[in-house]
Amino acid sequence: EIQLPNSSFDQWYVTQGGYQQIGMDANDKVWCTGNEGVVTMGSANALPLLVDNETVAQLTTLKLGSLAQLVGQGIAAGSLFTGTFKLNLANPAESPQFGTPFVARPKSFSVEFRYRPGTELMNGKGKVISGKDSVEIAVWLEDRSREPWKRVATAWYRSHEATPEWSVLQLPLKYGQLPNA
């Protein structure tokens, strides 16, 4: 029953860079995307989309071109997460700063989504590799009151199957240590 602000993903603003970003304005630090990094080599790939008079978040994987491939960043998966993004050109994978303070103990996480897999799977160098495209939805609750941080609960979903119609996914949060898989 407890919701983070803007969990419906309907509030977006235009940044100083001219692309759309989730939130009320630049001071809204609950939800974020990787758009700040993606626009350095292409266009934003997490955008609002109006569907049946409701705003949803559309996440798209983009090919960023040959210059981005030279540094191994030729593919940019659309992403939406809690936290902030500070572009780290030396190590782009460290750019997202995941997480927002949260003190409740939810039983589950639910989201309505649809998914169309890509026709081929590519690495960051632009080479087609074996495997199937997949969607991944994950929730991690962590205790960050002291280091090292401890994972408190996990919910996770991954599938390569197309989901052409809007579907509700409800993931139970598993508290405690997860078995090795």
Side-chain angles (χ1 to χ4, degrees):
E1 300 299 322
I2 297 170
Q3 297 291 316
L4 290 173
N6 199 19
S7 291
S8 59
F9 310 138
D10 58 352
Q11 296 171 339
W12 295 75
Y13 68 98
V14 176
T15 67
Q16 290 182 347
Y19 59 89
Q20 290 183 295
Q21 183 65 298
I22 192 163
M24 293 276 297
D25 55 37
N27 296 317
D28 189 340
K29 304 292 185 195
V30 176
W31 296 99
C32 197
T33 71
N35 283 346
E36 181 183 342
V38 177
V39 298
T40 63
M41 295 284 184
S43 58
N45 64 347
L47 296 167
L49 177 69
L50 193 60
V51 175
D52 297 330
N53 292 321
E54 290 188 46
T55 303
V56 301
Q58 178 177 323
L59 309 177
T60 306
T61 299
L62 298 178
K63 295 179 188 177
L64 297 180
S66 56
L67 181 59
Q69 289 172 3
L70 289 174
V71 293
Q73 299 296 315
I75 299 293
S79 62
L80 179 64
F81 52 91
T82 60
T84 59
F85 187 95
K86 182 173 175 156
L87 184 58
N88 181 338
L89 289 173
N91 189 349
E94 290 185 3
S95 297
Q97 303 299 303
F98 298 114
T100 194
F102 189 75
V103 295
R105 191 174 170 89
K107 293 179 182 175
S108 64
F109 167 83
S110 62
V111 64
E112 191 172 353
F113 80 106
R114 63 183 181 188
Y115 167 67
R116 183 177 58 209
T119 56
E120 57 190 7
L121 195 59
M122 299 178 92
N123 66 15
K125 301 277 186 189
K127 301 223 186 258
V128 175
I129 57 175
S130 64
K132 293 183 178 181
D133 189 26
S134 61
V135 60
E136 186 165 345
I137 300 169
V139 177
W140 297 288
L141 299 181
E142 297 173 321
D143 179 353
R144 295 184 178 183
S145 62
R146 61 185 157 298
E147 292 196 11
W149 296 346
K150 301 277 186 190
R151 176 97 48 97
V152 175
T154 307
W156 180 71
Y157 172 83
R158 179 186 289 164
S159 176
H160 62 269
E161 300 295 326
T163 310
E165 300 299 321
W166 288 102
S167 300
V168 174
L169 176 67
Q170 185 162 355
L171 299 172
L173 279 126
K174 295 183 179 163
Y175 285 81
Q177 187 70 29
L178 293 176
N180 290 336

